[in-house]
Amino acid sequence: MSDDYLRKPFSLAPPPTVDDPQPTSTTNYTPATSTFSSAPVSPYLNYDSRFLQQAQPEFIFPEGANKQRGRFELAFSQIGTSVMIGGGIGGLAGVYNGIKVTNALSQTGKLRRTQLINHVMKQGSGTANTLGTLAVLYSACGVLLQYVRDQDDNVNTIIAGSATGLLYKSTAGLRKCALGGAIGLGISSLYCLYLLAQESNNTNSSPKFL
């Protein structure tokens, strides 16, 4: 099939009238071009794809299923992201501390490089483990609350953040445990306020039809 067919607009030939003679090979009909855009017609299908509705949902969800991922599905990406961010932050801090220590000890050459690598590996792994543990605790609390309350909202986020701080500092004494819970409560509350502000901006910026 030639490429000229793809560049031709979709057209419909008018049917012959009663007074017209029988169509022959010499009879010419003027094609009536449709009002649609001149997009190419698919040569592989027996219909014009321009007649299809374009405003269809991008994804197909099972009946009764939630249209967004729950906390359990998000837990894996959150934990992995926290570990990677912790490793990066700890690695940068290890480079800074390693340069500071080696300069103070006047170390050079292979000894300095070895000390720098040790600082990067030690501090990077430590920070990655810390953030990974916090992410695991937060995700576990969030999934448990979603299962118990049968809904996922900002209340789950605040409770999960507070419980994460309490559990992480639970072995450091009552005072540090309460401080960890307060820090978790503050961070989760700020995050919920940010989400509410984003939703409010999206609602105000959406067009309203009378």
Side-chain angles (χ1 to χ4, degrees):
M1 186 174 294
S2 62
D3 294 338
D4 295 337
Y5 176 77
L6 298 177
R7 293 191 292 267
K8 292 180 180 179
F10 181 75
S11 61
L12 297 174
T17 59
V18 178
D19 298 334
D20 293 339
Q22 294 296 328
T24 60
S25 59
T26 59
T27 303
N28 296 327
Y29 295 98
T30 303
T33 306
S34 64
T35 59
F36 296 96
S37 62
S38 59
V41 180
S42 174
Y44 306 104
L45 303 175
N46 196 20
Y47 64 88
D48 187 0
S49 59
R50 291 169 293 179
F51 287 101
L52 297 178
Q53 296 182 1
Q54 300 298 328
Q56 295 293 332
E58 186 176 359
F59 303 101
I60 300 176
F61 298 93
E63 184 177 357
N66 192 6
K67 293 187 178 182
Q68 62 181 3
R69 293 184 296 175
R71 290 183 179 268
F72 183 77
E73 290 82 2
L74 294 174
F76 300 97
S77 60
Q78 290 174 352
I79 295 171
T81 303
S82 300
V83 172
M84 295 179 65
I85 293 175
I89 295 175
L92 293 177
V95 171
Y96 174 77
N97 293 332
I99 294 175
K100 185 177 180 180
V101 171
T102 53
N103 288 336
L105 298 176
S106 300
Q107 295 176 346
T108 58
K110 294 182 179 180
L111 180 59
R112 184 180 185 181
R113 288 196 297 270
T114 303
Q115 290 296 329
L116 287 175
I117 293 174
N118 290 339
H119 279 83
V120 170
M121 296 299 295
K122 183 177 181 180
Q123 196 155 355
S125 60
T127 309
N129 289 334
T130 300
L131 292 184
T133 302
L134 291 174
V136 169
L137 292 175
Y138 173 77
S139 300
C141 293
V143 171
L144 181 62
L145 287 170
Q146 184 181 7
Y147 176 77
V148 172
R149 300 182 67 241
D150 197 19
Q151 58 181 346
D152 187 13
D153 52 10
N154 293 329
V155 176
N156 289 357
T157 301
I158 295 176
I159 297 176
S162 303
T164 300
L166 291 173
L167 292 174
Y168 185 74
K169 289 294 185 180
S170 59
T171 59
L174 184 60
R175 184 176 180 179
K176 291 186 177 180
C177 180
L179 180 61
I183 293 175
L185 176 62
I187 295 175
S188 59
S189 299
L190 290 176
Y191 178 68
C192 291
L193 290 176
Y194 171 76
L195 293 180
L196 292 176
Q198 290 293 109
E199 293 178 0
S200 178
N201 292 334
N202 294 335
T203 302
N204 295 332
S205 61
S206 60
K208 297 180 180 180
F209 301 95
L210 299 177

